[in-house]
Amino acid sequence: GAGVSQSPRYKVAKRGQDVALRCDPISGHVSLFWYQQALGQGPEFLTYFQNEAQLDKSGLPSDRFFAERPEGSVSTLKIQRTQQEDSAVYLCASSSGTEGWGSLGEQYFGPGTRLTVT
Amino acid sequence: DAKTTQPPSMDCAEGRAANLPCNHSTISGNEYVYWYRQIHSQGPQYIIHGLKNNETNEMASLIITEDRKSSTLILPHATLRDTAVYYCIVRVTTDSWGKLQFGAGTQVVVTP
């Protein structure tokens, strides 16, 4: 079956531009996560949705970052007035929403969007 | 969630077992050990997880010490496609809503 897809795969933005990154999770997955991965580092958590509700946005680095998932499926991460320090790979992950006994807690990751701010 | 310590890199010969260590000396009794890997230009991929007992699946084996302060991921017969960054993560829940806290991981290079 189809995995998590992200678009675009690569994005070059001039400093100060707004960008929108899209994530299509696995169909039926309740949970959706966004992570940011700087070059040579491990991914860092940004935000989490359960269906359409954004339950945790503690990792968003500034108010220039905004994420939404209006219908509980596709999600968009928007970055306003991009800065050079925003250059990174943005990863989206989804999971089934299972919990408790028997849950593996696996997250399925997309290939990421590489954002370069010039 | 507890912190983990991994060596930054290691090499492994193709066909041999790769043993990847991870220290998590501050792990709590209810925290799980998860392993993910990230092949170049791809997103991370779940490998295995465990609480106390050793675990095995089609990808790897996970050996957790009795005091749970460290663990080893074993790739029994490494192939070139196993070249990746391997992340050891300690996590308080198996619930799928729990975020993952990645460290820097171990860059594993499998050589012919």
Side-chain angles (χ1 to χ4, degrees):
Chain A
V4 177
S5 62
Q6 294 186 246
S7 60
R9 290 294 314 277
Y10 304 91
K11 176 71 178 177
V12 178
K14 292 189 188 301
R15 189 172 54 186
Q17 282 185 332
D18 298 349
V19 298
L21 312 180
R22 177 186 169 108
C23 172
D24 285 79
I26 293 173
S27 177
H29 273 192
V30 169
S31 302
L32 186 144
F33 303 79
W34 284 98
Y35 293 83
Q36 179 191 57
Q37 185 171 25
L39 190 64
Q41 305 294 317
E44 300 243 355
F45 169 79
L46 292 177
T47 188
Y48 160 68
F49 289 86
Q50 185 170 317
N51 296 307
E52 68 278 3
Q54 188 175 18
L55 298 185
D56 187 348
K57 51 183 181 179
S58 61
L60 295 177
S62 77
D63 58 8
R64 296 186 295 104
F65 286 70
F66 172 76
E68 60 183 6
R69 194 185 185 200
E71 297 178 0
S73 178
V74 171
S75 177
T76 304
L77 176 66
K78 298 179 179 178
I79 308 173
Q80 298 177 323
R81 304 181 302 282
T82 53
Q83 304 294 315
Q84 283 194 312
E85 61 262 28
D86 300 335
S87 295
V89 174
Y90 291 85
L91 294 160
C92 175
S94 72
S95 62
S96 61
T98 56
E99 57 187 64
W101 181 255
S103 171
L104 295 182
E106 308 165 74
Q107 292 182 16
Y108 297 86
F109 284 80
T113 294
R114 180 177 296 279
L115 173 65
T116 303
V117 181
T118 60
Chain B
D1 295 337
K3 297 289 187 189
T4 63
T5 304
Q6 299 177 254
S9 64
M10 63 184 295
D11 295 336
C12 178
E14 188 179 20
R16 304 295 293 271
N19 297 294
L20 282 62
C22 179
N23 285 325
H24 30 79
S25 58
T26 61
I27 193 170
S28 300
N30 62 343
E31 289 183 310
Y32 295 79
V33 180
Y34 274 77
W35 284 84
Y36 276 73
R37 74 178 184 184
Q38 187 173 23
I39 296 170
H40 184 61
S41 295
Q42 297 183 20
Q45 175 192 24
Y46 167 85
I47 301 174
I48 198 167
H49 79 282
L51 181 62
K52 298 180 188 177
N53 300 322
N54 298 337
E55 303 286 345
T56 295
N57 63 19
E58 65 278 4
M59 289 183 69
S61 296
L62 174 60
I63 309 297
I64 302 174
T65 58
E66 193 168 343
D67 64 6
R68 303 208 326 121
K69 293 184 185 299
S70 65
S71 60
T72 301
L73 179 75
I74 301 173
L75 308 177
H77 304 287
T79 71
L80 299 179
R81 288 177 294 180
D82 292 322
T83 292
V85 178
Y86 287 76
Y87 297 100
C88 171
I89 299 166
V90 169
R91 191 170 178 222
V92 73
T93 178
T94 61
D95 293 346
S96 60
W97 45 259
K99 64 188 177 188
L100 297 171
Q101 293 182 299
F102 293 85
T106 296
Q107 172 68 64
V108 172
V109 176
V110 180
T111 55

